[in-house]
Amino acid sequence: MIASKKNVELVCPAGNLPALKAAIDNGADCVYLGFRDGTNARNFPGLGFDTKELDRAIDYAHNKGRKVLMAINTYPRPHQWQQWCQAIDRSASHHVDALILADPGLMHYAATTYPDLRLHLSVQGSATNHEAIDFYARHYAIRRVVLPRVLSLAQIKQVIKNTDVEVEVFGFGSLCVMVEGRCTLSSYVTGKSPNSNGVCSPAEAVRWEETPQGRRSRLNGVLIDEYAPDEQAGYPTLCKGRYQVNDNIFYAIEEPTSLNILEILPELIQAGVVAIKVEGRQRSPAYVASVTRVLREALDRCMANPDTFRVQPAWMAQLDKVAEGACHTLGAYHRPWQ
Amino acid sequence: MYFWNRQTVLDYYNMIAQSPVDIVYLGETVCAKRRELRGEDWLDLAAILEDAGKEVVLSTLSLIEAESDLAQVKRVCQNGRYRIEANDMAAINLQKPGTSFVVGPHINTYNSSMLAQMSDLGASRWVMPLELDDKSLTAMQQQRPENMETEVFVFGRLPLAFSARCYTARAHNISKDDCGFCCREYEQGLLLSTREQQSFLVLNGIQVQSARTYCLIDQLPRLEQLGVDILRLSPQLQGMTEIIDLVDQVRHHRLEPALAAESLNDHMPTGPCDGYWYGDPGMDIRGMDIQEKRL
């Protein structure tokens, strides 16, 4: 489905109320957030909303004409089922604008209990092709899909051409290189995964060591990286460490870098993407403000006149300042990256 | 699962045809570019295995991106003869409504409601996701839909992640589009170690596996008690005949699980793990460790 070019939404992260305000004040059309528990894929200490905060969040957003999307995008195990359903109940009673779900069990519950509540398929739902998207649309009437960060621009165009479901893509933030929803690297090492616990490479498993060779980062004992004295150390996300393969030591899976799609924004809009998502509910309100402001300006300019759209160096500089590894990539959108 | 040359694949399944294995899952699940065997080759193999008394299931890709990937999956789904294993929702969507299918380990079946959904769509068997533990399986078995078989992965390196990026090609400093099928050089995958030489992961094209071999052999009595119907062994080139034989003896109560565990140790290139089953980090060892001390 090709969307109206005027309607591309900017969807920004809100880990807490100050971040939500930062997103809305700087031009987000939608904010996405989660409860303060394992029901969402950013279950980090100090993040998320309780019921009272959700009230204030929704008031703030709705008063300014913006939307609130509630992420309940982990996969409940049998003993967690009731709690996850209650999270859906609470969201529905607070009149969120949509639920972002990954588990078909929960989709069935939401679609039958609250048939008028709009459902989005989370990136954790691993839908990378139009047949998978059609599956969720037919059975649970999902209205929008968030695509995993593994498709090339040409593949995204192909998906959009073959589906009536709205397509949202990641535009900026930390780059997950795996098919989200199908990666258990984190639980293999730490016992906690995005699917089950809403965390990847959790902080509680991180240990830093100072050694004569330099600073080392470990995740539950596994050496993720070692930094020379003059090197900037990054958070030890386990797919962004340096490892040995054959005789080489290198970033064997992915460099610490951020995804940044500004260069291909006109093509994404032309392709019919309806929303651009910013990653980073775990990041500060200052990050959210900064990224939202840049993307708002870029989107507005691009929608006003895609033919003359040029990426401003100041935008890139601003985004690189807050980017993981202080650098950026087009990731899988750009075929040679793969 | 790994990229083996044509003759290796044919020899491997010839061995399987003679083995006590009951069910064989055939087909490429990792990379759509690997075409040593074409669709009709797999069907020929399926017929040979069926003649040898095996039940054959045709597996489908775990990451479906391009239209050509979808076309490949569609052909498998519409083969008209064999059940398929779905590893992506696309495969379920491409089945004729009501056709029986297997829910593969890469479909996230984490709770009973999801399993009921799959049952309603025609699923007749599900493979427990690798992350799940004894506690979750116990609860799910209690609410298992009628006519639904349960299968558990009990031996092999764990398929932990899939990516658009090919890591074997990356290790060769070439792009996926120019991979030259370099994964062919690694019949058991390409080992990734930490900088202190701990064997950590195995790269298999776009798939990342555990270096350690998941082994639940000592839990076979427990799985039997839970009503698990099928035990899954993941293929490897070295020692597969012995591995099958050991698991077969344990399932028929002809060999003590602890003794089998000791022998299976010889067929794990970088040792065992079983943490997921106990709700621990997947790379941990609990059951096997206890046995090793006792032995």
Side-chain angles (χ1 to χ4, degrees), chain A residues 128 179 182 184 193 218 254, chain B residues 62 64 131 162 165 196:
Chain A
T128 56
V179 185
R182 280 193 201 141
T184 53
S193 70
R218 290 186 186 277
E254 171 62 341
Chain B
S62 307
I64 302 168
E131 261 199 338
F162 295 88
R165 181 174 252 177
E196 49 192 3

Side-chain angles (χ1 to χ4, degrees), chain A residues 101-150:
Chain A
L101 302 178
D103 178 48
L106 289 178
M107 280 176 219
H108 177 73
Y109 175 77
T112 50
T113 317
Y114 306 103
D116 296 331
L117 184 51
R118 188 180 162 91
L119 301 184
H120 292 186
L121 179 64
S122 168
V123 68
Q124 295 296 122
S126 321
T128 56
N129 59 76
H130 66 83
E131 287 290 346
I133 296 167
D134 185 54
F135 170 87
Y136 292 102
R138 279 198 331 178
H139 298 292
Y140 314 107
I142 60 148
R143 309 274 291 278
R144 179 181 294 184
V145 56
V146 185
L147 293 180
R149 283 160 274 192
V150 297

Side-chain angles (χ1 to χ4, degrees), chain A residues 75-79 81 103-106 108-109 124-132 134-136 138-140 149-152 155 158-159 162 177-197 216 218-227 238 242-246 248-255 332 335-338, chain B residues 33 61-67 69-70 74 87-95 97 106-108 110-114 117-118 121 130-133 135-137 139-140 158-167 169-172 174-177 186 190-198 200-201 203 206 208-212 273 276 279-284:
Chain A
Y75 292 85
R77 299 192 184 191
H79 65 280
W81 178 253
D103 178 48
L106 289 178
H108 177 73
Y109 175 77
Q124 295 296 122
S126 321
T128 56
N129 59 76
H130 66 83
E131 287 290 346
D134 185 54
F135 170 87
Y136 292 102
R138 279 198 331 178
H139 298 292
Y140 314 107
R149 283 160 274 192
V150 297
L151 298 180
S152 67
Q155 288 166 343
Q158 203 61 40
V159 166
N162 287 293
V177 300
M178 303 300 178
V179 185
E180 289 102 324
R182 280 193 201 141
C183 177
T184 53
L185 287 171
S186 179
S187 61
Y188 180 66
V189 175
T190 71
K192 295 197 169 166
S193 70
N195 277 359
S196 291
N197 311 89
R216 288 174 160 186
R218 290 186 186 277
L219 200 61
N220 194 20
V222 174
L223 182 62
I224 302 298
D225 212 340
E226 186 176 283
Y227 299 93
L238 73 88
R242 275 176 289 197
Y243 303 107
Q244 183 170 344
V245 181
N246 289 330
N248 302 315
I249 293 172
F250 64 114
Y251 292 109
I253 302 174
E254 171 62 341
E255 289 91 358
R335 187 79 192 181
W337 175 94
Q338 301 187 15
Chain B
K33 287 175 72 179
L61 287 169
S62 307
L63 171 56
I64 302 168
E65 297 176 308
E67 287 301 304
D69 303 347
L70 268 178
K74 193 171 185 175
N87 284 307
D88 185 278
M89 290 307 193
I92 299 175
N93 209 48
L94 286 164
Q95 287 266 94
H106 303 299
I107 302 261
N108 290 327
Y110 278 64
N111 54 64
S112 303
S113 171
M114 167 61 176
Q117 300 291 300
M118 294 292 108
L121 293 168
L130 306 167
E131 261 199 338
L132 288 195
D133 54 8
K135 182 181 171 186
S136 302
L137 183 63
M140 286 178 72
L158 294 161
L160 296 174
F162 295 88
S163 169
R165 181 174 252 177
C166 175
Y167 297 111
R170 182 173 170 83
H172 283 240
I174 48 181
S175 75
K176 186 168 80 173
D177 286 343
Y186 307 101
L190 173 58
L191 185 68
L192 176 152
S193 307
T194 68
R195 292 166 80 176
E196 49 192 3
Q197 279 71 55
Q198 179 187 2
F200 180 33
L201 301 169
L203 306 175
I206 64 160
V208 180
Q209 303 177 330
S210 64
R212 290 181 184 160
C273 65
Y276 278 142
D280 296 337
M283 65 180 183
D284 285 2

Side-chain angles (χ1 to χ4, degrees), chain A residues 275-332:
Chain A
I276 303 284
K277 182 167 213 150
V278 174
E279 186 274 348
R281 275 188 284 152
Q282 73 283 16
R283 303 292 299 264
S284 69
Y287 162 94
V288 174
S290 184
V291 176
T292 304
R293 200 178 315 125
V294 171
L295 286 180
R296 178 77 270 159
E297 195 183 336
L299 253 185
D300 286 347
R301 288 225 200 155
C302 191
M303 287 190 284
N305 206 338
D307 297 334
T308 59
F309 176 79
R310 294 284 176 276
V311 176
Q312 305 294 310
W315 296 342
M316 289 309 227
Q318 185 63 34
L319 292 178
D320 278 349
K321 253 197 260 176
V322 295
E324 183 182 5
C327 58
H328 62 267
T329 172
L330 279 171

Side-chain angles (χ1 to χ4, degrees), chain B residues 23-121:
Chain B
I23 305 165
V24 185
Y25 289 82
L26 281 183
E28 178 59 46
T29 58
V30 176
C31 178
K33 287 175 72 179
R34 297 172 175 174
R35 301 245 172 103
E36 274 284 294
L37 274 76
R38 302 266 168 178
E40 54 272 29
D41 297 329
W42 288 115
L43 290 176
D44 289 346
L45 259 183
I48 293 169
L49 288 161
E50 210 173 36
D51 284 346
K54 315 297 181 198
E55 177 198 325
V56 172
V57 180
L58 300 181
S59 285
T60 51
L61 287 169
S62 307
L63 171 56
I64 302 168
E65 297 176 308
E67 287 301 304
S68 54
D69 303 347
L70 268 178
Q72 191 177 329
V73 173
K74 193 171 185 175
R75 277 195 299 275
V76 178
C77 290
Q78 297 177 351
N79 76 83
R81 179 162 178 189
Y82 301 102
R83 246 197 305 187
I84 65 126
E85 176 191 63
N87 284 307
D88 185 278
M89 290 307 193
I92 299 175
N93 209 48
L94 286 164
Q95 287 266 94
K96 266 196 209 141
T99 312
S100 164
F101 65 96
V102 179
V103 184
H106 303 299
I107 302 261
N108 290 327
T109 311
Y110 278 64
N111 54 64
S112 303
S113 171
M114 167 61 176
L115 191 56
Q117 300 291 300
M118 294 292 108
S119 174
D120 288 347
L121 293 168

